[in-house]
Amino acid sequence: MSPLIRWTMPIAADEAATSERDPQQSRRAGMRAVGIVVVAAVAVSLTAGGAGRAAVSAPVDTRVPRAHCGPGSAPETGLQGQVPLQDRRNGRSRRGYWCNLELVSRYQGQGQGTVGASYGKCQYLGTILPSAVTARNKGVNVIDMSDPERPKLTDSLVSPATLGGTWETLKVHEGRGLLAAVSVGLVSGGFFVSVYDVKTDCRRPRLLNGINGTRLTMPGLFPGHEAGWSPDGRTYWTTGTVGGTIAALDMTDPRKPRVIYNGITGIANHGVGVSHDGDRIYVADLPAGFITFDATDVQRRKPHPRLRRISETTWSDGLVTQHLVPFTDRGRPYLLAVDELGSGGVRILDLSDERRPVTVRQLKLEINRPEHVALRGADTARNGIFGYDSHYCTLDWLTDPTALACGWTQSGIRVFDIRDLHRPREIAYFNPPAQVGERSRLVNSAHAFIPFGTSFTDILENHPDKPPLYFGETDMTADWCMSPPRFDGDRLWVSCDDNGALLLRFTNGAYPLR
């Protein structure tokens, strides 16, 4: 597909309180989405472009030079980001691949449910249903890695939200030391939120909003599939994949979370990013792209708040956008947009004109390039719906960042030098060992649990060697790394579905960058 980017100017400067699309817009949006397939964690829009929207071609370079792997590395044997079919068949993928990143510690436990979080020396492993309730260690498992040689399970967070499947809502606010999660259910739930104090003792999080000191919490009306904190830690936004629902929860007093906004913004929402001042939110929408909203009413706690639509931006070389991260570089505002399907990779957009964001660069691995669609199909034909796609990324700094680290699903953890946004280069990667034959033990791994073997990355592409759809168990020949990594000096905190909590260390002077 061509890298076509489309903007949509605001429909109205002052929309209804629910920010609903007007009927005409809704009909157009509905026509754009010719089908939605909901499989576990993701709603995939099988769509082709918009109708009657202003459009402009904005081709940019997507290539990223390979990392130069120093001593002690075990480099990839195929293309950048690839776990070749031969390696999957002969067992090579069970040893993993690494380059300028080494494993310091691992706690595998029951595996990881899609997205985890970390704070201090602790990791929190996300949950899925039914294992959140049925596993031996129920709820969100807390892993203490203060002694890397002896990582240990110190607690299991059991509350309605953590037992309800946290998916992509388990998020830490670093400044306040708060961990929050929403009960997602099978795909898009809500109703319960749990807020934990992890600042006092990250090994023993304390539930703040429990009723009378119990593990029970009050239900509320808000969606749940994705979530994100405002930078000031006062607002926790939640979104739903079904119906484009979105809500804002006031966390000023984390003991009493309060819903202060509920609305519908589109067909299906995904991740949400918040500007440094809280006045803008960027909501991943379907088809691939995002909507920019003026959220000052919520940020300033005005009565009867509204979200005001500023612009919509979509592109055709991706299928679903996962999440967004606003940042500044040399005083200029940018947005990081990460696609999770369709090999759209990571996109950097200039937000100087927020009504017309401009893509200045895309990052794709070699295996993501269009000419390798047959290789992707062959490699990932039986390893689940997520193939060689980016999923969650983190910048080392939100002002003048130097590095970007991403969970790139079957390509593992990828780290890039982005000091020059127009000329990124890869500096390190770590793709953990495949856990072939370990499915029955990894009851909390979404990868091991989901009973769909076929990759959805290129489901809309047709080519002569396209493998047939496969609905059996995943072959487990490569892990899914989907959580946002966290920079910590020369270390990187990450978690992957099958390998659980991981602590990595940069080698060969790859990072920090000077």
Side-chain angles (χ1 to χ4, degrees), residues 387-409:
Y388 294 120
D389 286 297
S390 52
H391 190 260
Y392 248 95
C393 298
T394 306
L395 297 164
D396 57 351
W397 308 102
L398 293 179
T399 301
D400 298 334
T402 67
L404 167 72
C406 300
W408 211 285
T409 318

Side-chain angles (χ1 to χ4, degrees), residues 168-169 171 180 182 222-232 234-240 245-251 260-263 265 270-275 278-283 293-301 305-307:
E168 291 157 341
T169 69
K171 302 291 173 62
V182 169
F222 49 84
H225 178 87
E226 265 275 3
W229 286 94
S230 62
D232 63 10
R234 295 172 58 237
T235 308
Y236 179 72
W237 291 90
T238 70
T239 60
T245 50
I246 185 168
L249 278 63
D250 185 348
M251 293 287 188
I260 54 175
Y261 176 83
N262 247 318
T265 62
H270 217 191
V272 56
V274 188
S275 64
D279 286 347
R280 296 288 185 271
I281 62 169
Y282 308 94
V283 181
F293 289 101
D294 179 342
T296 52
D297 284 4
V298 173
Q299 177 64 18
R300 297 171 190 178
R301 300 299 190 262
R306 300 176 177 180
L307 286 184

Side-chain angles (χ1 to χ4, degrees), residues 430-442:
F430 184 91
N431 200 349
Q435 299 299 302
V436 178
E438 301 295 331
R439 175 184 295 101
S440 61
R441 195 165 56 81
L442 301 174

Side-chain angles (χ1 to χ4, degrees), residues 68-278:
H68 297 292
C69 302
S73 299
E76 294 167 326
T77 59
L79 297 172
Q80 181 188 37
Q82 183 190 18
V83 180
L85 184 59
Q86 181 178 357
D87 287 10
R88 295 169 187 259
R89 287 176 171 170
N90 65 21
R92 170 64 184 84
S93 69
R94 300 186 193 187
R95 302 205 305 271
Y97 311 84
W98 57 92
C99 172
N100 303 335
L101 268 175
E102 64 181 8
L103 180 66
V104 176
S105 184
R106 182 184 84 151
Y107 186 94
Q108 185 175 29
Q110 306 166 137
Q112 149 84 10
T114 306
V115 167
S118 66
Y119 181 85
K121 306 297 183 185
C122 299
Q123 299 239 40
Y124 310 101
L125 300 180
T127 63
I128 57 170
L129 289 176
S131 67
V133 178
T134 60
R136 183 178 62 181
N137 299 312
K138 300 175 176 53
V140 171
N141 288 187
V142 181
I143 313 302
D144 174 14
M145 291 186 136
S146 55
D147 182 353
E149 295 185 358
R150 300 177 183 79
K152 58 185 177 182
L153 175 72
T154 56
D155 205 348
S156 293
L157 307 184
V158 177
S159 63
T162 57
L163 290 177
T166 57
W167 288 102
E168 291 157 341
T169 69
L170 189 66
K171 302 291 173 62
V172 164
H173 188 273
E174 187 80 17
R176 297 187 70 189
L178 297 176
L179 172 70
V182 169
S183 54
V184 174
L186 293 178
V187 176
S188 191
F191 305 114
F192 290 100
V193 63
S194 292
V195 192
Y196 291 88
D197 165 26
V198 294
K199 193 171 189 175
T200 303
D201 184 353
C202 72
R203 301 166 303 174
R204 302 284 181 187
R206 183 166 57 93
L207 181 64
L208 297 175
N209 63 321
I211 300 173
N212 296 327
T214 71
R215 293 174 175 177
L216 299 176
T217 57
M218 292 293 291
L221 184 61
F222 49 84
H225 178 87
E226 265 275 3
W229 286 94
S230 62
D232 63 10
R234 295 172 58 237
T235 308
Y236 179 72
W237 291 90
T238 70
T239 60
T241 54
V242 178
T245 50
I246 185 168
L249 278 63
D250 185 348
M251 293 287 188
T252 304
D253 181 353
R255 296 169 301 178
K256 299 176 181 177
R258 188 167 56 92
V259 179
I260 54 175
Y261 176 83
N262 247 318
I264 298 174
T265 62
I267 300 171
N269 291 334
H270 217 191
V272 56
V274 188
S275 64
H276 73 281
D277 57 7

Side-chain angles (χ1 to χ4, degrees), residues 40-41 88 108 110-115 128 131 167 379-387 409-410 431-440 442-454 472-482 496-500:
R88 295 169 187 259
Q108 185 175 29
Q110 306 166 137
Q112 149 84 10
T114 306
V115 167
I128 57 170
S131 67
W167 288 102
D379 293 345
T380 63
R382 297 190 170 211
N383 200 31
I385 59 177
F386 296 105
T409 318
Q410 293 193 39
N431 200 349
Q435 299 299 302
V436 178
E438 301 295 331
R439 175 184 295 101
S440 61
L442 301 174
V443 296
N444 198 45
S445 164
H447 174 218
F449 169 75
I450 290 177
F452 299 100
T454 290
E473 293 179 337
T474 54
D475 62 19
M476 305 287 283
T477 53
D479 200 349
W480 284 2
C481 293
M482 307 182 78
C496 299
D497 274 32
D498 300 338
N499 279 271

